[in-house]
Amino acid sequence: MQDSTTALALALVLASAAAHATWNLLLKKAHRQEVFAWWLSGFGLFGALPIAVVLALRTSFEVVGIWYIIATVLLHICYFLFLGRTLARSDLSLVYPIARGFGPGLVPILAVFSLGETVTPAAWVGIGSIVVGIYTMAWWGQLRQFTTRATLFENLPGLGYALLTGLCISLYTIVDKRGVAHVSPFLYLYLMTAGVAVGWLPYIIRNYGVAGIVHEWRGAWRSVIVASALLFLAYGLVLTAMSITDVSFVAPVREVGLLFALLLGALVLKEWVTRGRIIGAVLIVAGVVLITLSR
């Protein structure tokens, strides 16, 4: 039974990783990325309302779950804000892997202390392999340049926000693990999405105005609908996986989405696949295998 549960959780997380990489591709191609990102939550608020109503009537909801929803909404708003400032202050290839890699490195440690989970030595090696793989993909051939005085000080603000982004990822992962124990995963996700859409709206209006929001919808509404559905599916699958297995297993395996992003970048965006990215991809796959075999 344990093996079948692990296999199901792995399948859910891998499907989630593919969906996550795809909606990130659509976000990358957007004209105003912050407005496009807000529309993902904004459209989800109304587009998924019928499903949310059915889930609310047919699934359990414990009152204590409200506090976890509030916490994850606040953390996700901070995540989007920090991510936007990260990308505005430094190169995507430098800070995005740091943001995504820092979270999985923290989650098992937080899970041990806050959730009482155990992590086997093989799983620790697998987690380390995933994190090293992410950094290898980002820094191969750039380390000498990065460590020069001028480049280091130039990238410090972006790196700081990247670490804050990773911290938000690790914290909302722990919160969500507890939250789905009290609220069904997809209903939890809908309420989180609605909270982010409402809570983030003042920032978007102040920076882009209502006209900017409308203009982005008119120019990219098809992509918004597809990306919103994929975002909802991606995190819903992760929450479902966390409801049946340990978060210290789910969080690192999610990072296999970087492989899908690498493939999409090469095939769709015609990006050059460097040796460092290939080595990093191999390390990530090895980490996923180690974590899976350690269960």
Side-chain angles (χ1 to χ4, degrees):
M1 181 64 69
Q2 180 67 22
D3 291 341
S4 62
T5 300
T6 300
L8 175 59
L10 179 62
L12 291 173
V13 177
L14 291 178
S16 168
H20 188 275
T22 304
W23 77 254
N24 271 266
L25 173 69
L26 295 173
L27 175 60
K28 180 177 177 60
K29 297 171 67 176
H31 178 58
R32 296 180 178 89
Q33 292 183 340
E34 283 192 335
V35 180
F36 187 95
W38 177 85
W39 266 117
L40 300 184
S41 298
F43 177 78
L45 172 61
F46 298 102
L49 181 58
I51 300 175
V53 172
V54 172
L55 289 174
L57 295 175
R58 293 180 175 270
T59 60
S60 60
F61 186 103
E62 299 178 20
V63 177
V64 68
I66 294 175
W67 296 107
Y68 291 104
I69 292 169
I70 292 173
T72 196
V73 165
L74 294 175
L75 286 170
H76 272 84
I77 290 174
C78 291
Y79 162 76
F80 282 120
L81 290 174
F82 290 146
L83 180 61
R85 295 180 183 184
T86 296
L87 298 178
R89 287 165 169 79
S90 194
D91 294 340
L92 174 66
S93 60
L94 176 65
V95 293
Y96 179 78
I98 293 174
R100 295 303 306 178
F102 188 55
L106 284 179
V107 166
I109 300 173
L110 295 175
V112 168
F113 290 103
S114 65
L115 302 179
E117 296 183 3
T118 58
V119 181
T120 66
W124 279 116
V125 174
I127 292 168
S129 181
I130 290 175
V131 174
V132 171
I134 292 170
Y135 281 81
T136 301
M137 293 175 72
W139 284 354
W140 187 273
Q142 301 180 37
L143 189 58
R144 181 179 299 177
Q145 178 186 6
F146 173 71
T147 53
T148 62
R149 181 180 180 86
T151 306
L152 176 61
F153 280 97
E154 179 182 343
N155 284 294
L156 271 178
L159 292 176
Y161 281 119
L163 293 175
L164 288 173
T165 302
L167 177 61
C168 288
I169 292 172
S170 62
L171 290 175
Y172 74 58
T173 300
I174 297 296
V175 169
D176 293 346
K177 168 62 178 177
R178 289 185 175 272
V180 294
H182 305 284
V183 185
S184 63
F186 278 93
L187 179 59
Y188 182 94
L189 174 59
Y190 174 80
L191 294 174
M192 180 201 76
T193 300
V196 171
V198 174
W200 199 19
L201 182 58
Y203 171 85
I204 297 298
I205 291 177
R206 186 186 66 181
N207 286 275
Y208 298 96
V210 175
I213 297 175
V214 173
H215 183 270
E216 188 66 25
W217 171 258
R218 288 177 176 173
W221 65 269
R222 292 181 182 86
S223 295
V224 166
I225 293 174
V226 173
S228 181
L230 289 172
L231 185 153
F232 197 87
L233 176 65
Y235 206 53
L237 292 174
V238 165
L239 293 176
T240 302
M242 286 197 295
S243 70
I244 62 175
T245 192
D246 291 346
V247 67
S248 54
F249 170 78
V250 174
V253 177
R254 286 186 69 193
E255 300 311 311
V256 77
L258 286 176
L259 299 180
F260 294 110
L262 186 69
L263 183 62
L264 290 172
L267 297 179
V268 179
L269 301 177
K270 308 302 181 183
E271 295 177 349
W272 179 253
V273 179
T274 65
R275 183 184 303 174
R277 293 183 182 183
I278 295 174
I279 294 174
V282 171
L283 288 170
I284 292 172
V285 172
V288 171
V289 172
L290 279 173
I291 293 171
T292 303
L293 293 179
S294 72
R295 301 296 294 168

